[in-house]
Amino acid sequence: MSNFNLFNVFLQRWGAQAAGKPFSTATSDLMPVRLTGKLEGQPAMIKITRDLDERIGGQVLQWWAGDGAAHVYALDPDSGALLMERATGSRDLLRMALEGEDDAATTCICRALEQLHSNRPSAPPDNLRPLSDFFESLAPMAQQEGGLMAECALVANELLRDQRDQVVLHGDAHRGQ
């Protein structure tokens, strides 16, 4: 479990107050906060990541500028720490899907992805990893397992060879947390 000391410098730097206990995921430490100053009371989240892909993801989140994604209020370039918008409210996509509103939950996800994949006024961050990097482990697995894995590797290779209209993909669109 994270401790408050990890967040102190960012709480002070960004004029935020803790609004809950810090918690950890496999890649990051997070703390719900409330903003002070001109955004007084606005719910936000501080995210301090230990993962390179998550740091790059923070830069992409900032580039998306709140259009289909959480707004980034601040990003520390040295640590990759983010101060970002925090979702509030009682609507939960997983709960919707489990309680018979799967079409509505899927529509929400599709609308957000449509916004994320729309044209942007500026180029994306230049340190993004190519899609092929995420499939590097597929070939050895396909060779070892055969069957469906081999078929997946063939399809992936064909699609990766014939890429068009390359866009930044959100690698984590789902109904759960």
Side-chain angles (χ1 to χ4, degrees), residues 17-38:
Q17 296 175 340
K21 293 183 179 182
F23 60 96
S24 296
T25 68
T27 62
S28 305
D29 296 296
L30 298 104
M31 175 187 272
V33 298
R34 292 230 175 252
L35 301 180
T36 58
K38 70 179 185 178

Side-chain angles (χ1 to χ4, degrees), residues 2 22 28 32 38 61-62 79-80 101 104 108 110 136-137 147 150 168 170:
S2 302
S28 305
K38 70 179 185 178
L61 196 60
Q62 185 176 45
S79 69
E101 294 183 84
C108 289
C110 290
E136 285 178 345
S137 63
V168 176
H170 187 298

